[in-house]
Structure formats: C-alpha cells, structure tokens
Amino acid sequence: MTKPTVHDIAREAGVSLSTVDRVLNGRADVRPKNAERVRAAVKKLGYVRDTNAANLARQRQYRFVFVLPEGPNHFVETIAAAVLEAAGAQVADRTDVAVIHVNAADPHAVVDRLKRLDLSSLDGVALMVPETPQVRDAIAHLRSAGVYVVALVSDLPHSRCDYFAGIDNYSAGRTAGALLGKFLRNETGSILVVTNSMVARDSIERRFGLDKVLARDFPRLKALPTIEFHDDPDRIRETIGHALHAHPELKAVYSMGSGNAPMLDALREAGVLERFVVIAHDLTTVTRQALVDGELDAVIAQNVGHLVRSALRVLRAKCDGTDIYEAQEKIRIEIVMRENLY
C-alpha cells in the first residue's frame, strides 16, 4: 500500500488542497467544520506528515539562540564550541544558530538581553541561566510570542520552558556521594563542598543528592556547608585556606559546579591535593589535565555535544509539532577517571 498524501486527505474530507495545507500547518483561517473534516481524514487514512519535506517545500529556516553565561568558564566555553560545531552540521537542515553571552549572576541583565532579541524572526531559545522571578517573566514573554524555550544544563522547573536538556543533577550529586564514600570507605572526617553559586539549580540539586547518600550510606563522612566563590579566585583561595585551618579532619573536596581552575589552584598552593580525594563536574581542558596529573580522582561529566544536539532537536520538534524521542534525548551521567580518558 502507498502512503496517503494530502490529495487523499482533500478527497476524503471534501475540501481543497489549500484548506488541507492550512490545517496541517496550524493556521487559524479555516472554518472549524472544515478543520474537523481534515483532522478526521488524517486519522482515518493514517497520514503521517513528512516535516522535512514540508519545510524544504516552504524553504523553512529555523532560527535558534543559545544564551550562555559570560566570563571565564571552561565548561561554558566547551558548550559554546559544541554549539558552533552543531550549527555547522545543521546547515543542510536550514538552521541558523547564534550564541550570546549574558551576566547570569544579574537577573536584570539577563532579562534586558532577552528583551533585545528580535522575536519576530526567532523560533527558539536555549537558556543556561539561574531561575529567578525576573527570568520566569521573561520566559513567559518569549512563550507568549510563540518562541520555544529549552532550559540547558540547569533546569528552570517553575518557568514556562518547553523542555530541559541536561543530566539529572540530583542523581549526579548522589553519584558524587557514592564515589566519595567508596573512596573513603574506612575513613571518618569532613568533605569540603565548593561551587560558584548556589543560585544555580544544578548546584542545589547536586547538594541534595550528595547529602542523601552520605547520610544514608556513609554517616562517618560529613559534608561541610557549601562555599560559594562567585567567580572570584581570591575568595576561593581565602575560604579554602580558612577551611583547611578550621577543619583538620578534612578528607575530600567536592566541586559541584564551574570554577574548577581556581579551586585546583588554591589546593595546589596549600599543598594538599595529594592527600585529599577530589571530585569535580564537567570534562574540560582543565579537569582533563587534572585527571592526567592525578590531582582529580574522578569527574562526573555529561556529553556536551549530545547536550547541544539534543537542545536543537527538541527546538525543531517543537517548531514542527512532532514527537520528542525521550530515549534519544536522555543525557547520561558519565564517570571519567584517568584510566578511561582515552
């Protein structure tokens, strides 16, 4: 049997081809009775729309923007590079992809930059920013304008985002807790926890996961209150120095977010890397070299190329009104050690 076509739908519904086209493309200028006839014919005939062919016929051009934090951040640089690589691979699919950077620590700056986007020519946005009331309002404005929004790396669960592309950060924190507990199986002591900011939801969820596993399976290990250093190397150096002095029972360091370079520098200066178990997130040039040098015991990572491609696929599926294949879009948690780097 041949696949049903739009001509078959038009004959079955008793309407014109132009009416079928308007219904399939979700336009409102169709009489409700005719629209219902078309939908009934689609269902009866088992018609499945070829969105690629339809987009090609209409010369459809997707326009997406990735909004990433500005500043010295090796993980963000890795994501930006992956976006550019993916954009080059998407040319045949008529996709324009741009990257803009914002001061993610300032919600008003984030909102101001989002307001300056040309929404009339924009189809979708991938956002890597903390969730704040101001950002939630800006996302609502984007959605009201028909722009689809994907939360990237860190979820925005209370916003009107269409999807979250990233690992399960609660599970990632649990993974860190399990690794620390197994590396320190016979030890009693404290774990120093550091991150750039606890405003970011990924850090919050990782901390919850860490505490859950330590309390349940490794009660002899205590995670100290999280130290935030807000992209300030002097602050991380000072606070780590204070923690080393105040907690001689320290056995490990867990870095939950970005800022691994200044964290490692501070530990090197203190001369304690060799006697601590150190676990971090995200495989970058910095963490890769630290694994090679034996300064990091493990890195909890996510495939950045997969992350970016997933965000693009989801945005395009939303634009086309097609299904999202969850198994394909699931970003898996990876444990990287020196022994499996290559």
Side-chain angles (χ1 to χ4, degrees):
M1 295 181 62
T2 59
K3 294 181 179 180
T5 67
V6 290
H7 295 274
D8 298 322
I9 296 172
R11 281 194 297 269
E12 178 68 27
V15 298
S16 66
L17 282 173
S18 61
T19 297
V20 173
D21 180 75
R22 288 197 295 272
V23 174
L24 292 179
N25 285 295
R27 295 202 289 271
D29 55 338
V30 182
R31 293 178 180 177
K33 186 176 181 179
N34 287 342
E36 184 56 38
R37 285 178 179 174
V38 171
R39 286 191 285 267
V42 167
K43 184 176 181 180
K44 179 180 178 180
L45 297 174
Y47 174 79
V48 178
R49 190 181 185 208
D50 186 340
T51 55
N52 288 330
N55 288 338
L56 184 63
R58 300 198 315 271
Q59 295 294 297
R60 171 66 188 272
Q61 191 83 13
Y62 300 95
R63 292 179 175 84
F64 301 138
V65 170
F66 280 71
V67 180
L68 306 178
E70 65 182 12
N73 186 313
H74 291 90
F75 180 53
V76 172
E77 290 170 4
T78 304
I79 293 176
V83 172
L84 294 178
E85 180 181 2
Q90 297 290 335
V91 171
D93 292 327
R94 290 179 163 78
T95 304
D96 291 334
V97 184
V99 175
I100 63 174
H101 294 273
V102 298
N103 180 1
D106 183 351
H108 297 287
V110 174
V111 171
D112 179 67
R113 188 62 185 87
L114 292 178
K115 285 182 177 179
R116 288 189 278 122
L117 294 174
D118 181 5
L119 303 187
S120 65
S121 63
L122 189 62
D123 295 300
V125 176
L127 281 173
M128 184 181 170
V129 297
E131 186 174 47
T132 63
Q134 297 88 348
V135 169
R136 284 196 291 270
D137 289 344
I139 292 172
H141 177 66
L142 290 173
R143 293 298 297 112
S144 298
V147 176
Y148 295 101
V149 180
V150 168
L152 193 69
V153 178
S154 186
D155 200 3
L156 305 169
H158 304 297
S159 301
R160 290 180 53 193
C161 287
D162 296 281
Y163 201 81
F164 166 56
I167 59 174
D168 181 332
N169 284 297
Y170 177 69
S171 293
R174 288 166 58 90
T175 301
L179 288 173
L180 289 163
K182 293 179 187 301
F183 281 136
L184 300 168
R185 187 180 296 276
N186 299 316
E187 299 280 354
T188 298
S190 298
I191 298 169
L192 182 64
V193 183
V194 300
T195 191
N196 192 49
S197 171
M198 285 298 286
V199 173
R201 191 172 184 87
D202 52 348
S203 288
I204 296 172
E205 292 177 343
R206 290 170 186 176
R207 179 69 205 228
F208 282 154
L210 170 76
D211 291 341
K212 177 72 173 180
V213 168
L214 293 183
R216 184 191 66 194
D217 298 333
F218 308 102
R220 293 194 300 179
L221 297 174
K222 176 187 177 183
L224 298 174
T226 304
I227 293 176
E228 302 173 89
F229 55 92
H230 305 292
D231 288 322
D232 185 344
D234 292 333
R235 179 184 176 91
I236 191 64
R237 187 179 301 109
E238 179 182 346
T239 53
I240 284 182
H242 174 76
L244 294 174
H245 177 74
H247 300 280
E249 78 287 358
L250 274 176
K251 295 294 191 298
V253 177
Y254 172 39
S255 176
M256 296 193 299
S258 60
N260 289 312
M263 180 270 295
L264 288 167
D265 286 341
L267 294 175
R268 288 188 194 103
E269 291 178 14
V272 296
L273 272 172
E274 292 185 357
R275 64 183 177 91
F276 282 171
V277 171
V278 186
I279 292 177
H281 279 268
D282 304 318
L283 193 61
T284 66
T285 54
V286 169
T287 55
R288 178 182 287 273
Q289 189 60 50
L291 284 171
V292 171
D293 295 339
E295 296 176 329
L296 282 176
D297 293 276
V299 170
I300 301 169
Q302 53 192 309
N303 187 311
V304 173
H306 185 188
L307 176 77
V308 169
R309 292 190 299 272
S310 178
L312 287 170
R313 282 193 298 265
V314 168
L315 287 172
R316 289 171 57 194
K318 288 294 182 180
C319 290
D320 293 337
T322 56
D323 292 334
I324 295 170
Y325 298 100
E326 295 294 343
Q328 181 184 26
E329 308 312 340
K330 181 178 177 60
I331 312 298
R332 301 190 181 280
I333 296 170
E334 301 174 357
I335 300 173
V336 184
M337 304 174 70
R338 178 167 55 181
E339 288 71 23
N340 66 359
L341 264 178
Y342 303 103

